[in-house]
């Protein structure tokens, strides 16, 4: 019985104690873990102020840390590294943490654990010791350039050895790009060997730009920007040097990226980076860079182009470079209408009514003094409300067409489509260069008339109607109208002329140009000749009839050529409506 | 080399009594005679070394894998208590004079901080002792043995000094513990010097 | 000796006459180890108050049910559990203090004072007086620690509870180191002895 009681009492005590301990453990464990997590990360932030909570703080694996005193390496993508190291002090293991940025500058130091002599070695944890490192180069601290602790030679010696090994490790593993041994500074690669670099970031306002650092090369020969950008993956970074005389690019090196190997990674390849050597300022501005090596990485390249543009603009703001708007205008016009002779441009702005968007209007002539186009130099609003800045652009209209091209001064901007439309309307209203078919095509549509005058300027412009002519007899009486219009066919646009007299009776339909193969409809056509487009009996039903009596909806498509006939029907219907509401209604 | 460094550090630099203050009760109480100091040293060496090894095995094979390291203190003290019981029985059986000399302090070897302290330092607080090195049983054994030797050494030296001291007149209020503490102070100062060697 | 001492005398015994630090020399390891700063001494003291009071209470509660043969293991299990609970609470809520006390927090388990009081007092007394005994002893212990820590921190690091009082040039930094603990403790004990001797001779005379 006695033994039983002993065992029983022991059991009760052990069980009750276990329950108590377990209960407390349940309560405190999460709190302890949280506190430890916070304490550890607080140290990280302390030594690396640029850290953000979103940064990946997973320690690197697979590094050979043997004999380096380093216990942990955290690589913060695009920012730097945090090392934790431990060495034997005077009477304790001393653990410290040190942050190093991408340039090898120490961002912060903190002693994490130490149990050395208070008043001596323990001073390694004092701010006086800890605060001396931030801003120093790791390499120089590694070489022993720091203030030791007076009276604590062992502790100081232990630290010196540890930081030296750490600096060597850093140099071999990260600073040199992995190869170990002597690697040249990428900044020297893109400028000149042995160049001096002065950090002048503080002199410029880099907020809101992707630039993280600005350095002058050999005082004032060139400037290097350290830039981060987001490609397919975030946190890519590069350096780019601009010559301060020509403002062209001297060179470009990707420092870090996480892009997909074989795709986005092309930006770090020598072939790719080589194209930046001597890249013209404006090419950098406009992102005129090629993807080489056969890889296409549109997302990466677009990110890079955007950041190049921002960097180049930043450079222009502080250092100048780039062309003036006048130079640019001159160049863009020259590129659009290649000619050696700039005399062939005539500023005709004064001849036309003022428009708030239009800065200049230029007529462009060829060597035979024939006008070959007009260029509107305008400043319009951006596409979105946020984009209210004026966007400079050229609207180029070649003679004989409505609109040939819109050339933006800055490729990255999107002009408001309404503003563009306004410009076009201005062009249409004031600069009558509507398309005109051959005289023969007009006559074919209105055989009775002898002369034709474009009156399209008096009516609303429509993309489907290229021109409207008054058909006149010898004594200039208006007999009717000829529409020069476009329909979409199976083989492309079909242009045609269609006459209608003052009474609304249609004259002839004449096809001006087409790309159709109407013959497909032949088996269904009774007349083999009429089966050949444009001479078809199907079209005949629109000739010599009262315009108002034509109900396009009732007319069937021709089987086999339904796309062509459908497109024609749409165009006819539009002309009928346009005529009745605008031209005919004016009568 | 590593093992030598661990042993040297444990014996001199981190001397268990003079630096870490483990096992002070027996240090001041028992060490008035060289013979009992030696016996105590031997007993403590035996207990510290074996309990540290057992603690290490328990910690790495049971407590860590099952994530119950918070139970370390309880588990270790029970292991140590059993061990001390063994040693007590052993001494009682084979050396009656020694048993009477160690007196009241022998059962209290259970509550000798050095035993539990070393066990905990070698497991839960291992980074404090071994740094990044993940200690094997051999490391722990060497460390614990070094600590014990340091303990035995100091306790023996100390008893030798105190035996000599008994021959001289000491002011009444300094007798016993106070003068022993001052002696310990001087010894500790000397041991600080060893720190410079590592 | 009266069979049941008054609570007040039980309480004050630990504080002065039987002070565990200066008179009984119990729990000397932490006495020397954690007295480098007043803050640590207070932290250790608080821990000991908790463990000692609760342990005394529990031991006293179960004193009549515990078989003599296994009483020590049972006391140890109880104390170890309490210390583990204390450790976890301190790590959770005062992690800095827990870190600076280090192993000595766990070593409260083997503080001779606690097992000693459980064995010597709580196992023979009622729960209430056991609590008072524990409180008195623990506070006496805390007071002793704080007294030593006060001198060590003040003279060694020039501070009290972290506040700078003595400029750096006039500090005796050996005092906050391990060796200094022996010196300060030794001097203090000798002075306490002096007072006790004086009292004793007075009472002899009287």
């Amino acid at each position: 019985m006695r033994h039983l009681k002993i065992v029983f009492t022991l059991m009760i005590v052990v069980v009750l104690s276990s329950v108590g301990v377990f209960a407390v453990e349940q309560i405190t464990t999460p709190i302890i873990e949280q506190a430890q997590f916070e304490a550890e990360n607080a140290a990280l932030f302390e030594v690396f102020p640029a850290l953000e909570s979103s940064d990946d703080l997973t320690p690197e694996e697979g590094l050979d840390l043997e004999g380096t005193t380093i216990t942990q390496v955290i690589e913060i993508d695009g920012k730097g590294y945090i090392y934790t190291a431990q060495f034997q002090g005077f009477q304790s293991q001393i653990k410290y943490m040190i942050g190093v940025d991408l340039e090898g500058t120490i961002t912060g130091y903190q002693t994490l654990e130490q149990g050395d002599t208070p008043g001596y070695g323990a001073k390694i944890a004092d701010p006086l010791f800890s605060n001396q490192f931030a801003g120093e180069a790791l390499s120089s601290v590694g070489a022993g350039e720091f203030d030791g602790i007076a009276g604590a030679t062992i502790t100081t010696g232990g630290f010196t050895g540890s930081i030296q090994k750490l600096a060597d490790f850093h140099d071999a593993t990260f600073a040199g790009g992995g190869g170990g041994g002597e690697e040249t500074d990428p900044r020297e690669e893109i400028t000149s060997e042995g160049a001096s670099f002065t950090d002048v970031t503080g002199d410029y306002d880099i907020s809101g730009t992707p630039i993280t650092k600005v350095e002058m090369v050999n005082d004032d020969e060139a400037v290097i920007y350290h830039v981060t950008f987001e490609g397919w993956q975030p946190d890519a970074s590069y350096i780019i040097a601009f010559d301060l005389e020509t403002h062209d690019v001297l060179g470009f090196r990707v420092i870090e990226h996480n892009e997909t190997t074989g795709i986005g990674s092309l930006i770090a390849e020598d072939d790719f980076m080589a194209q930046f050597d001597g890249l013209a300022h404006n090419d950098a501005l406009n992102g005129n860079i090629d993807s080489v090596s056969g890889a296409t990485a549109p997302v990466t390249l677009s990110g890079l182009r955007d950041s190049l543009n921002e960097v180049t603009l930043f450079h222009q703001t502080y250092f100048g470079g780039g062309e003036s708007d006048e130079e640019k205008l001159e160049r863009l016009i020259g590129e659009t209408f290649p000619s050696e002779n700039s005399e062939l441009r005539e500023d005709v702005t004064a001849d036309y009514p003022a428009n708030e968007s239009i800065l200049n209007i230029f007529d462009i002539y060829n060597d035979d003094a024939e006008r070959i186009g007009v260029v509107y130099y305008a400043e319009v609003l951006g596409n979105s409300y946020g984009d209210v800045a004026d966007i400079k652009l050229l609207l180029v209209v070649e003679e004989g067409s409505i609109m040939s091209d819109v050339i933006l001064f800055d490729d990255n901007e999107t002009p408001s489509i309404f503003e563009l439309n306004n410009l076009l309307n201005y062009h249409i209203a004031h600069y009558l260069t509507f398309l005109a078919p051959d005289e023969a095509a007009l006559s074919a549509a209105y055989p009775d008339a002898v002369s034709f005058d474009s009156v399209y300027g008096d009516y609303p412009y429509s993309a489907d109607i290229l021109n409207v002519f008054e058909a006149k007899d010898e004594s200039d009486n208006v007999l009717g109208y000829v529409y020069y219009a476009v329909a979409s066919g199976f083989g492309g646009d079909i242009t045609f002329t269609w006459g209608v007299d003052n009474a609304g009776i249609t004259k002839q339909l004449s096809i001006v140009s087409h790309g159709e193969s109407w013959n497909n409809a032949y088996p269904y056509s009774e007349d083999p000749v009429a089966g050949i487009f444009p001479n078809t009996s199907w079209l005949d039903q629109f000739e010599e009839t009262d315009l108002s009596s034509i109900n396009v909806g009732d007319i069937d498509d021709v089987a086999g050529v339904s796309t062509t006939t459908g497109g024609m029907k749409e165009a006819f219907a539009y002309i009928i409506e346009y005529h009745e509401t605008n031209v005919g209604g004016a009568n | 080399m590593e093992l030598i460094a661990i042993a040297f550090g444990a014996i001199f630099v981190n001397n268990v009594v003079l630096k870490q203050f483990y096992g002070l009760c027996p240090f001041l109480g028992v060490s008035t005679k060289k013979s009992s100091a030696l016996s105590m040293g031997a007993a403590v060496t035996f207990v510290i070394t074996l309990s540290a090894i057992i603690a290490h095995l328990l910690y790495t094979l049971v407590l860590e894998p099952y994530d119950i390291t918070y139970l370390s203190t309880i588990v270790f003290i029970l292991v140590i208590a059993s061990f001390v019981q063994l040693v007590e029985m052993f001494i009682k059986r084979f050396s009656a004079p020694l048993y009477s000399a160690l007196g009241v302090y022998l059962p209290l070897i259970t509550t000798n901080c050095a035993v539990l302290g070393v066990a905990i330092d070698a497991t839960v607080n291992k980074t404090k002792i071994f740094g990044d090195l993940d200690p094997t049983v051999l490391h722990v054994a060497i460390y614990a043995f070094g600590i014990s030797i340091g303990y035995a050494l100091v306790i023996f030296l100390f008893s030798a000094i105190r035996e000599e001291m008994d021959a001289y007149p000491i002011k009444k209020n300094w007798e016993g513990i106070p003068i022993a503490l001052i002696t310990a102070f001087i010894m500790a100062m000397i041991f600080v010097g060893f720190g410079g060697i590592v | 000796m009266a069979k049941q001492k008054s609570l007040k005398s039980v309480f004050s015994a630990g504080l002065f006459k039987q002070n565990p630090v200066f008179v009984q020399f119990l729990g000397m390891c932490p006495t020397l180890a954690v007295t480098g700063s007043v803050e640590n001494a207070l932290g250790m003291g608080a821990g000991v108050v908790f463990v000692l009071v609760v342990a005394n209470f529990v031991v006293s509660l179960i004193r009549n049910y515990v078989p003599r043969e296994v009483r020590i293991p049972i006391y140890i299990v109880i104390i170890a559990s309490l210390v583990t609970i204390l450790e976890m609470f301190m790590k959770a809520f005062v992690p800095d203090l827990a870190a600076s006390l280090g192993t000595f927090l766990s070593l409260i388990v083997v503080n001779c004072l606690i097992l000693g009081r459980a064995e010597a007092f709580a196992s023979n007394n009622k729960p209430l007086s056991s609590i008072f005994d524990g409180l008195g002893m623990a506070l006496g212990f805390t007071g002793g620690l704080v007294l030593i820590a006060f001198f060590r921190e003040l003279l060694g690091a020039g501070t009290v509870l972290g506040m700078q009082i003595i400029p750096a040039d006039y500090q005796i930094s050996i005092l906050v180191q391990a060796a200094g603990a022996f010196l300060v403790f030794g001097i203090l004990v000798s002075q306490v002895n002096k007072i006790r001797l004086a009292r004793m001779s007075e009472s002899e005379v009287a």
Side-chain angles (χ1 to χ4, degrees):
Chain A
M1 270 318 281
R2 181 92 188 132
H3 289 293
L4 262 183
K5 193 190 173 192
I6 289 175
V7 171
F8 184 69
T9 326
L10 262 177
M11 257 179 62
I12 294 273
V13 170
V14 168
V15 167
L16 288 180
S17 302
S18 308
V19 169
V21 169
F22 184 72
V24 173
E25 196 265 340
Q26 291 300 305
I27 300 167
T28 54
T29 299
I31 303 175
I32 294 173
E33 281 172 0
Q34 177 70 19
Q36 277 173 350
F37 177 78
E38 280 173 13
E40 280 163 20
N41 289 313
L44 290 175
F45 279 92
E46 191 80 13
V47 302
F48 208 95
L51 204 61
E52 286 165 68
S53 53
S54 56
D55 286 325
D56 180 13
L57 298 177
T58 323
E60 298 300 301
E61 282 174 15
L63 294 170
D64 182 16
L65 299 175
E66 183 76 35
T68 60
T69 74
I70 299 168
T71 56
Q72 192 187 61
V73 184
I74 297 173
E75 184 173 358
I76 310 140
D77 292 335
K79 290 182 181 169
Y81 309 89
I82 297 175
Y83 289 95
T84 311
Q86 185 166 325
F87 64 93
Q88 173 66 43
F90 182 55
Q91 42 188 206
S92 67
Q93 288 285 326
I94 296 176
K95 199 168 172 184
Y96 66 94
M97 195 177 256
I98 193 162
V100 184
D101 70 12
L102 293 173
E103 279 74 45
T105 309
I106 296 172
T107 55
Y109 168 91
Q110 204 181 20
T111 303
L112 297 179
E113 282 172 20
Q114 65 84 25
D116 264 22
T117 323
Y120 294 96
K123 284 190 174 164
I124 195 165
D126 283 0
L128 197 63
F129 182 80
S130 304
N131 293 350
Q132 64 174 313
F133 297 106
E136 301 293 320
L138 178 62
S139 52
S140 55
V141 172
E145 290 172 26
F146 64 93
D147 295 329
I149 303 158
T153 41
I154 309 283
T155 311
T156 308
F159 178 75
T160 310
S162 173
I163 194 77
Q164 190 179 356
K165 287 174 200 155
L166 191 151
D168 289 347
F169 174 85
H170 180 79
D171 208 35
T173 314
F174 299 112
E182 289 293 305
E183 290 273 343
T184 48
D185 187 332
R187 297 176 301 176
E188 292 184 23
E189 279 180 40
I190 61 173
T191 52
S192 56
E193 209 170 306
S196 73
F197 303 97
T198 322
D199 188 344
V200 292
T201 317
D203 300 346
Y204 303 97
D205 178 17
I206 57 170
S207 62
T209 73
I211 296 166
T212 57
K213 192 173 177 181
V214 184
E215 284 178 307
M216 302 301 289
V217 182
N218 292 339
D219 291 340
D220 60 352
E221 282 181 14
V223 59
I224 288 183
Y225 299 101
H226 296 249
V227 188
T228 58
F229 78 102
E230 178 162 346
W232 180 253
Q233 298 288 340
D235 299 332
S237 65
Y238 62 85
I239 55 171
I240 186 164
F242 284 92
D243 189 295
L244 279 177
E245 214 159 284
T246 65
H247 299 288
D248 287 338
V249 178
L250 285 174
F252 165 94
R253 285 290 179 279
V254 170
I255 301 299
E256 205 174 44
H257 72 87
N258 305 306
E259 303 299 298
T260 321
T261 307
I263 304 176
S265 73
L266 76 93
I267 58 166
E269 283 170 22
D270 290 344
D271 281 359
F272 179 82
M273 297 195 289
Q275 66 174 314
F276 285 86
D277 299 347
L279 184 75
H281 185 90
N282 289 309
D283 288 335
L285 185 67
N286 296 321
N288 293 333
I289 46 169
D290 302 322
S291 66
V292 287
S293 315
T296 50
V299 179
T300 312
L301 283 179
S302 133
L304 179 60
R305 286 189 178 114
D306 286 352
S307 90
L308 276 177
N309 173 262
E310 285 184 70
V311 173
T312 316
L313 285 175
F314 180 88
H315 181 82
Q316 285 183 5
T317 309
Y318 288 105
F319 297 100
E323 34 181 20
S324 65
D325 285 347
E326 284 78 47
E327 288 168 337
K328 187 160 191 170
L329 178 71
E330 203 63 11
R331 178 172 61 83
L332 289 175
I333 295 177
E335 281 170 10
T336 315
F337 297 103
S339 163
E340 297 289 306
N341 189 353
S342 60
E343 296 295 310
L344 297 175
R345 282 156 224 160
E346 189 190 341
D347 189 338
V348 293
T349 321
D351 300 348
Y352 293 90
N355 178 292
E356 58 179 10
S357 297
I358 297 172
L359 301 171
N360 288 100
I361 305 173
F362 299 96
D363 278 345
I364 315 290
Y365 296 92
N366 67 9
D367 288 335
D368 301 330
E370 288 168 331
R371 195 171 70 189
I372 52 170
V374 58
V375 172
Y376 293 88
Y377 173 35
E379 209 170 41
V380 303
L381 293 180
N383 194 28
S384 66
Y385 291 111
D387 223 357
V388 289
D390 289 333
I391 296 173
K392 288 200 168 83
L393 58 82
L394 293 182
L395 177 72
V396 177
V397 187
E398 282 176 46
E399 198 67 13
S401 73
I402 292 299
M403 188 179 96
S404 302
D405 210 354
V406 172
I407 300 169
L408 297 174
F409 269 42
D410 182 344
D411 282 345
N412 292 298
E413 291 171 320
T414 321
S416 156
I417 197 78
F418 300 106
E419 296 259 300
L420 281 185
N421 215 30
N422 287 342
L423 278 183
L424 264 184
N425 284 338
Y426 181 92
H427 172 72
I428 289 156
H430 302 291
Y431 217 96
L432 310 172
T433 52
F434 299 122
L435 292 174
D438 292 349
E439 196 78 12
L442 293 172
S443 297
Y446 214 120
D448 301 342
V450 294
S451 67
F452 302 91
D453 283 330
S454 173
V455 291
Y456 199 15
D458 300 338
Y459 301 108
Y461 177 77
S462 158
D464 294 326
I465 296 174
L466 301 174
N467 213 333
V468 183
F469 297 89
E470 279 180 345
K472 294 176 178 171
D473 63 9
E474 286 96 346
S475 44
D476 262 3
N477 292 319
V478 177
L479 301 173
Y481 300 89
V482 173
Y483 285 90
Y484 177 38
V486 61
S488 42
F490 183 75
D493 282 352
I494 302 165
T495 56
F496 61 93
T497 52
W498 193 12
V500 56
D501 70 11
N502 286 332
I505 306 298
T506 60
K507 296 297 175 183
Q508 297 291 306
L509 258 171
S510 170
I511 304 294
V512 179
S513 68
H514 74 93
E516 304 304 291
S517 47
W518 185 272
N519 318 36
N520 288 349
Y522 174 68
Y524 307 100
S525 171
E526 289 178 7
D527 179 356
V529 180
I532 298 166
F533 189 78
N535 296 316
T536 87
S537 50
W538 184 80
L539 288 176
D540 293 346
Q541 62 184 310
F542 297 101
E543 295 176 357
E544 303 295 346
T545 48
D546 186 345
L547 203 66
S548 58
S549 72
I550 300 174
N551 190 347
V552 174
D554 291 344
I555 299 167
D556 289 335
D557 294 340
V558 176
V561 287
S562 57
T563 306
T564 310
T565 48
M568 294 293 283
K569 271 163 59 184
E570 271 181 39
F572 294 155
Y574 187 77
I575 292 170
I576 292 164
E577 193 194 330
Y578 187 91
H579 183 75
E580 286 181 345
T581 50
N582 298 302
V583 186
N587 271 3
Chain B
M1 195 54 218
E2 193 177 62
L3 294 176
I4 294 171
I6 289 174
F8 186 84
I11 296 172
F12 297 104
V13 184
N14 288 317
N15 186 275
V16 66
V17 180
L18 299 175
K19 175 70 203 311
Q20 306 192 62
F21 302 117
Y22 292 162
L24 281 174
C25 301
F27 174 68
L28 295 172
V30 179
S31 56
T32 45
K33 278 194 191 130
K34 277 187 281 191
S35 58
S36 48
L38 266 183
S39 311
M40 186 70 183
V44 165
T45 300
F46 179 70
V47 175
I48 285 184
T49 309
L50 279 176
S51 60
I53 290 171
I54 292 168
H56 173 79
L57 293 175
L58 272 174
Y59 190 78
T60 50
L61 300 179
V62 181
L63 297 175
E64 266 186 334
Y66 293 99
D67 207 19
I68 46 171
T69 52
Y70 63 93
L71 286 178
S72 305
T73 309
I74 299 178
V75 171
F76 292 169
I77 190 68
L78 290 177
V79 169
I80 291 163
S82 323
F83 244 101
V84 172
Q85 208 74 25
L86 261 179
V87 176
E88 191 188 349
M89 281 159 53
F90 188 81
I91 296 179
K92 199 174 182 177
R93 176 125 183 217
F94 293 104
S95 173
L98 179 61
Y99 185 74
S100 57
L102 293 179
V104 66
Y105 286 99
L106 196 52
L108 287 181
I109 201 173
T110 305
T111 55
N112 184 331
C113 329
V115 185
L116 182 63
V118 170
I120 290 176
D121 281 348
T123 54
V124 183
N125 297 339
K126 58 189 169 195
T127 50
K128 177 178 142 194
I129 307 296
F130 300 104
D132 292 322
L133 181 75
D134 195 27
T136 62
V137 176
L138 183 62
H139 290 119
V140 171
I142 295 284
Y143 172 73
F145 188 68
I147 285 286
S148 322
I149 294 297
Y151 188 86
L153 177 74
V154 168
I155 208 172
F156 176 71
L157 288 175
F158 194 62
S159 64
I161 294 169
R162 289 181 77 180
E163 269 188 12
E164 290 298 312
M165 233 161 28
D166 284 349
Y168 298 91
I170 291 168
K171 271 186 86 174
K172 191 103 172 103
N173 64 322
W174 284 92
E175 259 180 6
I177 300 285
I179 195 69
L181 285 167
I182 301 302
T183 312
F185 162 66
I186 295 165
M187 287 182 75
M189 293 276 281
I190 295 166
F191 270 71
V192 166
F194 287 116
I197 297 173
V198 174
Chain C
M1 197 196 286
K3 195 161 174 56
Q4 196 69 49
K5 287 181 280 186
S6 80
L7 292 179
K8 193 184 156 204
S9 66
V10 166
F11 180 70
S12 62
L15 275 184
F16 305 107
K17 253 199 252 168
Q18 305 256 342
N19 186 288
V21 175
F22 290 111
V23 182
Q24 300 189 78
F25 303 109
L26 289 172
M28 272 192 293
C29 318
T31 302
L32 295 174
V34 305
T35 51
S37 77
V38 175
E39 191 188 343
N40 284 357
L42 282 172
M44 173 56 83
V48 170
V49 168
F50 167 76
V51 176
L52 185 50
V53 169
V54 180
N56 258 10
F57 176 66
V58 173
V59 166
S60 170
L61 271 185
I62 62 172
R63 69 187 188 280
N64 296 328
Y65 309 99
V66 173
R68 254 196 81 73
E69 296 89 331
V70 291
R71 69 185 197 290
I72 296 290
I74 284 178
Y75 297 162
I76 288 176
V77 168
I78 290 168
I79 293 168
S81 304
L82 288 173
V83 168
T84 304
I85 288 168
L86 174 74
E87 265 180 286
M88 291 189 294
F89 271 125
M90 286 186 87
K91 276 182 189 158
F93 299 108
V94 280
D96 291 344
L97 185 61
S100 60
L101 294 179
T103 312
F104 284 95
L105 197 50
S106 312
L107 290 185
I108 293 178
V109 174
V110 287
N111 190 319
C112 326
L113 174 62
I114 294 169
L115 191 60
R117 291 325 288 173
E119 165 78 354
F121 193 93
S123 61
N124 304 316
N125 285 282
K126 286 185 177 164
L128 191 61
S129 52
S130 296
I131 289 179
F132 274 86
D133 173 72
L135 203 57
M137 284 295 167
L139 289 178
F141 182 73
T142 309
L145 292 193
V146 170
L147 186 66
I148 299 170
F150 173 78
F151 284 111
R152 286 183 67 191
E153 191 184 338
L154 179 68
L155 301 175
T159 59
V160 170
L161 279 171
M163 284 179 298
Q164 194 73 37
I165 288 172
I166 297 178
D169 288 348
Y170 302 96
Q171 294 161 8
I172 314 161
S173 62
I174 187 77
L175 294 186
V176 283
Q177 292 177 44
F182 292 108
L183 183 64
V184 172
F185 189 35
I187 293 173
L188 286 174
V189 170
S190 75
Q191 297 314 301
V192 169
N193 281 352
K194 206 171 178 178
I195 296 165
R196 285 175 65 222
L197 288 169
R199 287 247 176 99
M200 259 189 237
S201 52
E202 270 170 31
S203 57
E204 273 164 21
V205 169

